[in-house]
Amino acid sequence: MTFRDLNLSNPLWNAIDDIGFSKPTTIQQKGFSVIMSGRDVQGIAQTGTGKTLAYLLPLLKLWTFNKNRHAQILIIVPTRELTVQVAEEAEKLGKYLNIIVRAVYGGTNLKSQAYEVAEGVDILIGTPGRILDLGYHGSLNLKAVKRLVIDEVDEMLALGFRSQLKHILDLLPQKRQNLVFSATINSEVEALIGEYFDNPEKIEAAPSGSPLSNINQAMYRVPNFNTKVNLLEFLLEHSPAMTKILLFVSTKALADELYGKISAAYPDNTGIIHSNKDQNFRFNAVNRFQDGTFRLLIATDIIARGLDIEDVSHVINFDLPDEPHNYIHRIGRTGRADKKGEAISLVGDLDLDWLDSIQEFMDFRIAVLPLPNEVFISDELTEAELPKINMKTFLVNCPKLRMTPVLFMKKRTKTKKKILKSTTKTK
Ligand code: AMP
């Protein structure tokens, strides 16, 4: 099947030819006619399956010019980076259509985005908070929305956007088509869909939870943080095939700590991205990773959602995420669009529980690689790795240690004196 077999139009076929895609992916094939029929759709698709194009293509085909230029298509996504990415894809596809695409997201000037939106917009892509702000501000008229896409809805709910989503849904016209995309379906996703959508038709790219077959997964058992750092340095030094590495850690603090260590050895080609960094820094980091300046980008889960970076050769999980579906998202940053990818996890003692639930979720066992002999096994533990009981005792005893000797001495002296006295008396 080629894109010519889909009932598109010349402007769309020409745009696809310019991009260079030849065959629609599974989700694009499955989704096209259902979305064209006007039905509500629930798409289950992991990142890397081509799901963005799967909804953009039929939506652009269904779009009709209206001189009012109030948004007809609203696409809600969880992160700022994804907003920009989806907008870029919509711009490329809509290149030969007279269509205005706008991206709105927090962390940037509300007034200038309000001005742009008020100027006119056909497709609006944004994060929930900023869409609401613009709606309340009055610059964004949501009453013309005919088609709504909620992309990565599972992630949006996990991030706590539930009430913002509901407020947006309340501002939209009742009569509209809804498309909800999610990598995983859980009870919260089902509840939202059940409440707001009209018996959506399910289309699925791959069974929920199954990793993409073109990603090779492996893991090392590593005892602790410092040994993980040693292993990472070894891999960076000895693996020329690791050309573009996206490395995940669970917390911002850990990302900063690791960045401090690795960038000391590789100052020019290591980047970091997490939600405490300002928006320009974040875009910059992604761009420099994208264009190959950075060989290694250290990231937290929230930033990584939906990021589409070409040719990521390796995803390294410096630790394992506490949600199995986040593991699927992390590794989905490599092996995109039918390319081969490698995912390597450094599994420490603290990760073992997560490892079990991830393997159970995927119904797949990750191959264990032997730790290279050259890697120095450190026995120095970080604060988080120290046994909890020792930590408590240490903290509780600390202040006493400084106070006790003086009091103790005094008491003992008194007692001694008393004893002496009594001894004297008796004598
Ligand atoms: P997505 O799952 O939407 O994030 O897309 C993953 C990647 O696949 C993006 O880089 C898309 O540009 C690319 N892609 C989407 N559709 C196709 C296609 N039909 N053929 C080849 N690559 C595609």
Side-chain angles (χ1 to χ4, degrees), residues 354-367:
W354 309 133
L355 177 69
D356 284 347
S357 40
I358 288 165
Q359 295 194 133
E360 200 175 305
F361 181 68
M362 295 191 299
D363 194 16
F364 177 84
R365 296 206 77 74
I366 304 171

Side-chain angles (χ1 to χ4, degrees), residues 3 19-25 28 46-54 82 85 89 92 306-310 333 336-338:
F3 282 104
I19 300 171
F21 294 158
S22 50
K23 285 193 333 206
T25 63
Q28 290 162 9
Q46 298 160 6
T47 53
T49 53
K51 68 181 163 67
T52 318
L53 211 79
L82 195 54
Q85 213 168 274
E89 210 152 336
K92 280 193 223 155
L307 266 192
D308 179 32
I309 294 169
E310 272 173 35
R333 308 295 110 205
R336 290 175 84 73
D338 300 333

